[in-house]
Amino acid sequence: MKLKTIINYLFIAVLAMQLVSCDNKETLESPFNATPTERLNAQQKELNDVLESSEFGWKAIYFTDTTQLGGFTHVFKFKNGSVDMASDYDNDTSVNTSEYSIDLGSTVSLVFTTKNRIHLLSDSNNSPTAALRGKGYKGDFQFLYYGQENGEIIFKTNRSFEELRFIKATATDWTDLAKSRAMIPNVIGEPTRPLFRLLETNDGSKVTQFDFSFSAPSRYATANSIETGSSVTSNMGIAYSPTGIVVNPAVKVGTQSLSIFIYDAATGNFNATGTAGVTASIKYTTKPLVLTNDYKILLAGNPSTAFGYIASYLSSAPTNSLVTKTLLAEINANLPSGVTISRVQFQFNTPFGSYIQYIFAGDKATEYHFVNTVEDPANKTMILTDDGWNSGTEPAILKKIDTELLNPTGLYVKRENFRFGGPPNTIYTFTSASSNFRITTYAFQ
């Protein structure tokens, strides 16, 4: 055999050996040497082990839909397919035991298989708003496992694919649920403080204000910039904590995001602090940030309009102030047995003039208080002045509530952007310019 041919064969043999060697090395080191089933089984064990590893279990603040709903804190303790669970969904913060499984599908998932507190968020009967009727709180009870990061377990919800993180719980997290519930009245708005609120941000050089409104059933707040022509909003879902609230999405202030607000009992404010002078605060104000012209349609010379507080539908409306609820309850307490006040109705610009009707359920005639309407254009209020009672004298039982409605500082009138109760009618609120009186009505025109 020629020397050149021998050398060519030797070269090919060496090359083949190198290729085989590389192939063997890649096979040994490849992360894909396990089958898909083996990898899923390993993940299943990994998740189960980490769930059972935390001494006091895990905590998750579950925001189901941050475009319209707030967050609910849950704590879990996992062991051998059984889970102890508690939440701040309602005043029952006790621990309940149920079952869970770690299922294999296209990925590994944690499934709460028997009913417990987290299922309250997926129950279609638990709808916090009319828009969510039949959808509940849009919650889930199956969570897809996506690994771990900085000691946290990362999941994504099965239905909406939203991220949810479990963090290691402490012993106090279980008892803090009741303390978080105690924070709710402060978030709703303390009855001894002004009725109006705002979100104020400071980026270190500029202060920006947003009109702030909170709905307790949905745990959601809307905040719209009051700057003329601005469409900037800072709407947020709210979760309660023992020291204040956690918001999601976080409030953007300059380049910083603030999500933890601490309650200040002295002022009633909720304050968040960033760096370099960046702050955000939810605080009270004695008048609306944005004064509307909604009262103008009620003034003399306009078409006839009517607005009514209907007790059977609106007694639980969150926009009724404590002062209003107290006055209505006091009237009922002093009426004969079987008689209650069923409506406070405003009639403007009728052929008989403008008047307030006090309508009763039971054997009691309606009372009519005729009024005149006067505009205060500077403060954008409507002032109601006395024009006599149909009975000739003011009924003593109605004196307190009628005094609020005829307060000489006038009433702010606002066309609200929400619906409440059964009827689809537009909501209007009538709020005293000098006290904490506010009554919620349906518009009838």
Side-chain angles (χ1 to χ4, degrees):
M1 185 180 291
K2 294 181 179 181
L3 180 61
K4 183 177 180 180
T5 302
I6 295 172
I7 292 173
N8 286 339
Y9 277 119
L10 288 173
F11 175 76
I12 292 170
V14 171
L15 181 61
M17 291 174 63
Q18 288 178 335
L19 289 173
V20 170
S21 176
C22 289
D23 184 64
N24 287 339
K25 183 177 180 182
E26 287 178 0
T27 301
L28 291 171
E29 295 178 356
S30 172
F32 303 104
N33 57 345
T35 67
T37 299
E38 289 171 335
R39 290 197 299 273
L40 286 174
N41 286 334
Q43 280 190 314
Q44 184 182 41
K45 183 178 185 307
E46 173 186 290
L47 177 56
N48 189 72
D49 288 348
V50 72
L51 286 174
E52 294 186 358
S53 68
S54 178
E55 179 182 2
F56 300 108
W58 299 88
K59 180 175 80 170
I61 302 178
Y62 186 10
F63 287 89
T64 57
D65 181 353
T66 57
T67 68
Q68 58 185 322
L69 292 165
F72 297 81
T73 301
H74 291 73
V75 283
F76 315 91
K77 187 73 168 66
F78 298 90
K79 192 67 176 179
N80 297 329
S82 179
V83 58
D84 294 334
M85 186 188 309
S87 82
D88 69 349
Y89 176 86
D90 54 26
N91 285 330
D92 180 7
T93 59
S94 62
V95 178
N96 296 267
T97 302
S98 60
E99 296 176 355
Y100 75 94
S101 65
I102 299 176
D103 290 358
L104 297 179
S106 57
T107 186
V108 172
S109 62
L110 168 65
V111 184
F112 295 98
T113 53
T114 57
K115 191 172 183 180
N116 208 318
R117 304 296 291 170
I118 203 162
H119 292 83
L120 293 168
L121 301 180
S122 60
D123 188 336
S124 61
N125 294 317
N126 295 337
S127 301
T129 66
L132 290 170
R133 189 168 290 124
K135 299 179 182 178
Y137 285 88
K138 301 181 69 176
D140 209 334
F141 50 84
Q142 180 175 5
F143 304 97
L144 311 179
Y145 177 51
Y146 273 77
Q148 301 169 50
E149 182 179 75
N150 299 324
E152 300 177 355
I153 309 175
I154 305 170
F155 294 101
K156 289 192 177 180
T157 57
N158 183 53
R159 294 176 181 172
S160 58
F161 216 57
E162 297 292 328
E163 184 175 278
L164 177 67
R165 293 193 173 220
F166 282 19
I167 64 173
K168 283 190 176 181
T170 65
T172 57
D173 283 329
W174 295 84
T175 55
D176 278 350
L177 294 172
K179 295 178 183 178
S180 297
R181 295 285 307 175
M183 185 59 62
I184 296 176
N186 302 324
V187 182
I188 293 173
E190 297 165 274
T192 57
R193 301 190 190 273
L195 294 175
F196 307 105
R197 302 170 89 179
L198 70 148
L199 168 66
E200 185 174 271
T201 64
N202 187 339
D203 65 5
S205 60
K206 179 185 177 183
V207 173
T208 304
Q209 293 184 326
F210 299 79
D211 192 18
F212 181 88
S213 178
F214 174 69
S215 170
S218 61
R219 299 191 181 187
Y220 200 75
T222 56
N224 301 298
S225 173
I226 66 168
E227 293 182 3
T228 304
S230 174
S231 60
V232 176
T233 63
S234 188
N235 299 341
M236 65 193 82
I238 286 177
Y240 308 122
S241 79
T243 58
I245 58 175
V246 178
V247 306
N248 188 5
V251 175
K252 293 284 291 184
V253 188
T255 60
Q256 299 183 41
S257 298
L258 306 180
S259 60
I260 298 176
F261 286 71
I262 305 301
Y263 177 64
D264 177 10
T267 61
N269 296 348
F270 288 83
N271 302 313
T273 304
T275 59
V278 169
T279 61
S281 181
I282 299 166
K283 57 177 63 176
Y284 291 93
T285 176
T286 56
K287 63 186 297 186
L289 289 185
V290 178
L291 297 175
T292 74
N293 289 319
D294 295 339
Y295 71 95
K296 285 184 176 290
I297 63 171
L298 317 181
L299 299 175
N302 286 292
S304 178
T305 54
F307 306 84
Y309 163 83
I310 305 176
S312 57
Y313 289 117
L314 292 173
S315 60
S316 60
T319 37
N320 293 320
S321 69
L322 179 61
V323 169
T324 302
K325 294 176 183 178
T326 300
L327 292 177
L328 290 168
E330 187 176 312
I331 291 171
N332 287 332
N334 287 283
L335 285 169
S337 177
V339 180
T340 59
I341 187 163
S342 63
R343 291 195 184 201
V344 178
Q345 191 152 304
F346 303 87
Q347 302 279 168
F348 296 101
N349 305 313
T350 77
F352 307 101
S354 296
Y355 50 88
I356 305 169
Q357 287 177 278
Y358 297 96
I359 304 173
F360 300 89
D363 189 18
K364 181 172 174 56
T366 298
E367 300 283 357
Y368 295 81
H369 189 182
F370 292 91
V371 296
N372 297 309
T373 57
V374 179
E375 178 183 13
D376 179 353
N379 294 306
K380 294 194 175 183
T381 60
M382 174 190 66
I383 301 169
L384 302 180
T385 62
D386 174 53
D387 198 28
W389 290 79
N390 69 309
S391 58
T393 57
E394 179 181 56
I397 198 170
L398 298 174
K399 181 176 178 58
K400 288 184 180 179
I401 193 169
D402 201 72
T403 298
E404 292 287 355
L405 293 173
L406 270 67
N407 191 308
T409 60
L411 301 169
Y412 297 114
V413 179
K414 184 181 179 183
R415 185 183 192 275
E416 303 288 354
N417 59 5
F418 65 88
R419 297 289 190 269
F420 188 86
N425 301 54
T426 301
I427 296 289
Y428 275 72
T429 53
F430 292 75
T431 307
S432 171
S434 60
S435 77
N436 276 10
F437 178 87
R438 180 170 59 203
I439 193 167
T440 307
T441 68
Y442 290 125
F444 297 131
Q445 65 278 1

